[in-house]
Amino acid sequence: MKKSLLYLFMLVCSVTLFTGCSDDDDTEFVQVTDISGDYQGRLVVSINGSAAEPVSQLISIVKLGEQNSQVLLSLRNFSFAEQLVGDIEVPCTVVEKDGVQEFSGQKDLSFTTEFGTVLGTLPTSVNGTVEGKSINIKIGVTVTTLNQTVDVVFDGERLVEGESGNTKTYYDFETWVAGVEGQEPEMTFYEPTGWSSSNTGAHFLKAMQKADRYVITQSDDAYSGTSAVKIQSIDTKGSPALGGWIPAIPKITSGSLFLGSFVTDIANTLNSTKFGIPFSQKPVSLKGWYKYTPGEEYYIVNQEPYKDHCNEAVVDNSKTDEFAISAVLYETEDYAEDLSDCLTGVDGEDGIYTSSRVAAIAQLTGGKQESWKEFTLNFDWKKEYDANKKYRFTIICSSSKDGDKFWGAPGSTLMVDNFELTAE
């Protein structure tokens, strides 16, 4: 019973954690320093004064419009006590005092769980500062129904460096967090901090005994440091659709690692990948390291729509699998809380590669590469960059470049490490 209450409380904290940011529409806009960027740091949660072990966390901040005093704070893949509790995107107000940027807010929140349990009003306060590259955040949440006071402290550093007017963001894939904490160790998967993946889909397939592994795993076969990402295409056996809500299960499931969120859509799995995070700069280039081993037997689906016939894949001996590493910047009218503005893996206007909203794209595809190889991608601009518009940005790494067609080879393995994104 105590464990259930703890999990329930973790869910409450995750939903309410940053909603205390100010929603005062009458706040006067003042000129403050731009604090947008990615911040990597340490998060510590205390319950009634008892602190949990610190965890590594990434927090992103982007401007909302032209004023630096209005920002969107994004915390993706937030984990509490090794439990993934979701993505959070909240607008906040910033003021500047003596060269230090401060943001704060408070709000009384009413919350009801998905099971209908009413937890009452949760007074929540948020206070944060940015000084140079350093950020500090303190959050206080009072959970009256459980007689608990929660204090959250985050200390981090901005992951950008100035260089000839440009900024750089580094992804070293050294820190991983639990995605889904399964009841059995083999049903727990992990993801690099700040990234999402198709592991969530593989998790369901494992539970149905259609998969024997996850598609994204941590590897010590790194270009540098101690950790890299292993992305694999796997054999998920395939089976026809069952009734109205269980779709056809593919023969081949490719691995995808990306910036964004995975929100399960059983009816159309390609709609589950919500690509893109809020982004307020003009991307210039993406560098990194990779190596790739294609699987032995390549499968294709001969009939469209591919998702409805994905279980009917057949071997095509004339083809060899290839990987894809892509970076895409696209326009959005607003940052929807339900991520409905995100482009996905589907085809057409809502597709990450086919939408008219795409402003710029960079992509690398290729075959076998036994040793670590460096790559540099420059962007092909479809539209002129406009600093007054809102954008989302994503990086997508796929072990089978045609995985959206459910084509690929079981065992195809893409390794990636040490990404460097340059923007201006």
Side-chain angles (χ1 to χ4, degrees):
M1 180 63 179
K2 291 182 179 180
K3 188 174 182 180
S4 297
L5 285 174
L6 175 60
Y7 288 173
L8 177 61
F9 172 68
M10 290 189 300
L11 178 61
V12 174
C13 287
S14 71
V15 174
T16 63
L17 195 56
F18 285 101
T19 53
C21 293
S22 174
D23 60 355
D24 184 359
D25 294 335
D26 296 327
T27 300
E28 181 181 356
F29 289 115
V30 295
Q31 185 60 41
V32 297
T33 302
D34 182 10
I35 63 171
S36 59
D38 291 331
Y39 296 84
Q40 181 75 54
R42 188 181 72 159
L43 190 85
V44 178
V45 178
S46 300
I47 302 175
N48 290 342
S50 178
E53 290 295 320
V55 297
S56 178
Q57 186 66 55
L58 182 79
I59 290 178
S60 297
I61 297 177
V62 299
K63 287 194 300 182
L64 290 174
E66 299 182 11
Q67 297 290 338
N68 294 336
S69 56
Q70 297 297 310
V71 299
L72 185 77
L73 186 112
S74 299
L75 189 154
R76 302 178 298 280
N77 291 339
F78 176 67
S79 292
F80 177 84
E82 297 187 346
Q83 298 290 316
L84 182 69
V85 292
D87 299 340
I88 302 168
E89 295 183 350
V90 179
C92 295
T93 299
V94 187
V95 298
E96 185 163 345
K97 296 181 180 179
D98 300 325
V100 177
Q101 295 76 49
E102 301 180 358
F103 54 94
S104 63
Q106 59 184 12
K107 192 172 184 179
D108 290 342
L109 302 170
S110 297
F111 187 79
T112 302
T113 73
E114 61 180 312
F115 304 107
T117 304
V118 178
L119 298 176
T121 299
L122 305 180
T124 304
S125 62
V126 176
N127 292 277
T129 62
V130 175
E131 184 172 6
K133 293 175 59 179
S134 299
I135 189 169
N136 304 99
I137 303 174
K138 294 182 179 180
I139 304 106
V141 182
T142 302
V143 187
T144 305
T145 54
L146 299 179
N147 195 29
Q148 291 178 323
T149 299
V150 182
D151 295 303
V152 182
V153 176
F154 175 82
D155 300 294
E157 294 288 324
R158 193 175 185 179
L159 294 178
V160 293
E161 296 180 1
E163 182 179 282
S164 301
N166 293 338
T167 60
K168 295 181 180 293
T169 303
Y170 299 95
Y171 302 98
D172 59 11
F173 305 116
E174 292 294 309
T175 305
W176 291 59
V177 295
V180 168
E181 184 81 6
Q183 294 181 346
E184 303 294 335
E186 63 271 17
M187 289 303 292
T188 297
F189 70 76
Y190 297 84
E191 295 170 324
T193 299
W195 292 75
S196 294
S197 76
S198 52
N199 264 352
T200 302
H203 183 78
F204 286 108
L205 294 172
K206 282 195 68 174
M208 299 172 65
Q209 298 184 332
K210 293 293 184 178
D212 61 359
R213 69 189 70 182
Y214 287 110
V215 293
I216 306 296
T217 53
Q218 186 175 15
S219 173
D220 59 7
D221 180 13
Y223 169 73
S224 67
T226 61
S227 177
V229 185
K230 177 186 285 188
I231 307 167
Q232 292 183 294
S233 297
I234 62 175
D235 186 342
T236 46
K237 303 179 181 179
S239 62
L242 298 176
W245 69 276
I246 299 181
I249 294 176
K251 167 65 177 175
I252 301 299
T253 297
S254 64
S256 295
L257 177 77
F258 60 93
L259 294 178
S261 302
F262 192 100
V263 181
T264 304
D265 184 342
I266 295 178
N268 185 356
T269 55
L270 295 176
N271 190 47
S272 300
T273 48
K274 307 297 184 181
F275 296 120
I277 60 175
F279 203 73
S280 62
Q281 295 178 286
K282 180 181 179 180
V284 176
S285 65
L286 176 68
K287 295 182 179 180
W289 292 82
Y290 80 94
K291 59 182 178 177
Y292 184 68
T293 303
E296 294 183 0
E297 287 189 321
Y298 191 88
Y299 286 80
I300 66 171
V301 179
N302 285 317
Q303 189 173 351
E304 298 187 48
Y306 297 118
K307 70 180 183 65
D308 294 337
H309 301 276
C310 59
N311 59 303
E312 302 169 6
V314 296
V315 175
D316 186 338
N317 291 320
S318 68
K319 297 183 181 297
T320 302
D321 211 355
E322 296 184 1
F323 72 91
I325 299 174
S326 307
V328 182
L329 181 78
Y330 66 89
E331 300 172 347
T332 185
E333 290 295 325
D334 205 354
Y335 302 117
E337 292 185 7
D338 62 359
L339 305 178
S340 58
D341 69 303
C342 290
L343 298 182
T344 68
V346 303
D347 200 7
E349 184 55 27
D350 291 328
I352 190 65
Y353 300 120
T354 54
S355 175
S356 63
R357 293 162 55 193
V358 172
I361 186 169
Q363 190 171 60
L364 173 70
T365 61
K368 187 174 183 179
Q369 175 62 41
E370 294 183 350
S371 59
W372 284 105
K373 183 177 181 179
E374 188 176 19
F375 70 87
T376 300
L377 299 181
N378 296 313
F379 286 84
D380 177 20
W381 286 88
K382 311 297 183 182
K383 300 181 178 183
E384 185 176 353
Y385 180 78
D386 185 347
N388 295 317
K389 291 184 176 180
K390 294 184 176 68
Y391 292 94
R392 284 188 183 269
F393 175 78
T394 188
I395 300 171
I396 308 169
C397 304
S398 302
S399 53
S400 295
K401 72 179 182 67
D402 289 321
D404 57 343
K405 299 178 182 177
F406 304 97
W407 294 13
S412 291
T413 304
L414 173 63
M415 305 285 294
V416 296
D417 201 4
N418 287 18
F419 282 5
E420 176 189 298
L421 174 66
T422 301
E424 63 181 32

